[in-house]
Amino acid sequence: MIELIRTNDPVVISFVESLLRDAGIAFFVADQNMSIMEGSLGILPRRVMIDEDDRDAARQLLKDAGIEHEARSDDKKNA
């Protein structure tokens, strides 16, 4: 899996989850439990992970929704 986005913003996470779900793209939100453990202060970012084969389609979804700036650039190391 590769990291599509990393953010502290729960609204962005929710929006991206909705976009991916509606497009039928499987995803996993990593570090969600760590955010709860820290008291939901928003210090630790959550990551939306997708299959590498879905990278282009997912990035196009973000672009079409006007939030392509949220996507991790390809030159950043993906977890």
Side-chain angles (χ1 to χ4, degrees):
M1 295 197 98
I2 62 166
E3 182 179 310
L4 178 64
I5 67 164
R6 179 185 299 208
T7 183
N8 294 1
D9 189 335
V11 174
V12 171
I13 293 283
S14 179
F15 185 48
V16 170
E17 286 179 303
S18 178
L19 290 172
L20 294 173
R21 191 176 298 111
D22 289 350
I25 296 175
F27 64 91
F28 173 74
V29 179
D31 305 323
Q32 195 160 357
N33 290 334
M34 291 301 295
S35 178
I36 292 168
M37 287 180 59
E38 61 143 51
S40 297
L41 298 174
I43 297 170
L44 298 174
R46 286 178 258 168
R47 299 173 292 149
V48 175
M49 311 295 288
I50 59 168
D51 189 275
E52 192 166 359
D53 294 340
D54 293 323
R55 177 195 330 243
D56 292 339
R59 289 171 83 64
Q60 186 62 48
L61 277 175
L62 297 184
K63 183 176 181 181
D64 292 347
I67 59 168
E68 65 270 14
H69 63 279
E70 294 289 346
R72 299 288 283 179
S73 65
D74 289 331
D75 60 343
K76 293 181 183 172
K77 186 172 178 86
N78 290 312

